[in-house]
Amino acid sequence: RIQIKNKMAGRRIAIIGDGFSAASLIYQLIDKGVCPKDITVFGAGKLGLDGLGLDGLGRGGAYGAVHPAYRLNVRDHLQALFPHKSDDDKSDDGTAEAFAKWAASRCASDKGAATPYGRYYRRSDFARYVQDKLQQIGANAISYHKCEVVAMAPRAGNDDGSWDDRGDAHGWDITLSSHDHHHAELVFLA
């Protein structure tokens, strides 16, 4: 669980990775007041959900499985964006109860989900749920680069490349496989 401080507002944030961890982090950042336009994601982006605009963000290996036999390994009432949140916490709809309600309304035709032990929806259904939640909070405004990060180095504080008086770096220089360069003040590996 991350704690967002006012210092993050207006800072350029890079997230390296585009699977479920990245999607959960994006959701938390935006939910805590970070502007989506300040967030840049770098990842493979190989698996997309048609028409959702975020083009695979949040699927990764775990939820990118599209074969209907690939099911979640927990019942619907245990799967959540924020497993630490209570279903009574009305400030967050990323709870397990929220996914169960979402799945019941959008996956009713999935007869394979019902078992004597509960409902086990497809992994791709949870990916759709995550992307729905990201769209609801405006995550489609983030910058999403489908590429590999090949290098990352601390950025020196002065324009001439020298360090400041305290020896502090001022963010990170990120080099992509496309040879493009990006700068971020904060970097998360997800």
Side-chain angles (χ1 to χ4, degrees):
R1 200 158 117 174
I2 61 171
Q3 298 295 321
I4 307 298
K5 299 188 181 196
N6 290 337
K7 291 189 203 179
M8 291 184 82
R11 297 180 79 184
R12 288 177 288 189
I13 298 171
I15 299 173
I16 300 173
D18 61 356
F20 175 73
S21 295
S24 180
L25 176 59
I26 291 164
Y27 191 97
Q28 291 182 58
L29 289 169
I30 294 171
D31 187 55
K32 300 296 182 185
V34 173
C35 178
K37 292 181 181 181
D38 292 335
I39 301 171
T40 302
V41 176
F42 303 99
K46 294 178 183 175
L47 303 167
L49 288 172
D50 295 335
L52 288 180
L54 297 169
D55 213 15
L57 181 62
R59 294 194 83 178
Y63 304 108
V66 294
H67 192 282
Y70 294 139
R71 301 274 170 183
L72 295 171
N73 57 348
V74 295
R75 292 184 307 279
D76 59 349
H77 286 81
L78 298 176
Q79 190 73 18
L81 264 174
F82 300 120
H84 62 277
K85 288 281 194 175
S86 162
D87 290 326
D88 297 327
D89 183 351
K90 302 303 181 208
S91 67
D92 173 35
D93 66 347
T95 63
E97 186 64 30
F99 171 66
K101 289 176 184 174
W102 180 94
S105 69
R106 289 180 179 77
C107 306
S109 64
D110 180 9
K111 302 302 180 205
T115 74
Y117 308 103
R119 299 189 69 77
Y120 292 81
Y121 290 102
R122 294 175 291 249
R123 290 180 164 271
S124 59
D125 293 334
F126 189 68
R128 287 186 12 230
Y129 167 75
V130 169
Q131 290 209 335
D132 277 0
K133 293 296 160 202
L134 288 173
Q135 282 202 332
Q136 287 174 12
I137 62 168
N140 53 341
I142 67 170
S143 178
Y144 184 19
H145 298 269
K146 295 178 197 171
C147 58
E148 183 179 341
V149 172
V150 295
M152 191 172 76
R155 183 179 185 129
N158 301 317
D159 290 336
D160 64 1
S162 64
W163 295 90
D164 67 15
D165 293 338
R166 296 179 316 201
D168 289 340
H170 291 274
W172 297 89
D173 285 318
I174 300 167
T175 305
L176 308 178
S177 55
S178 63
H179 304 291
D180 289 338
H181 297 272
H182 289 267
H183 171 70
E185 295 168 77
L186 298 169
V187 175
F188 293 93
L189 304 178

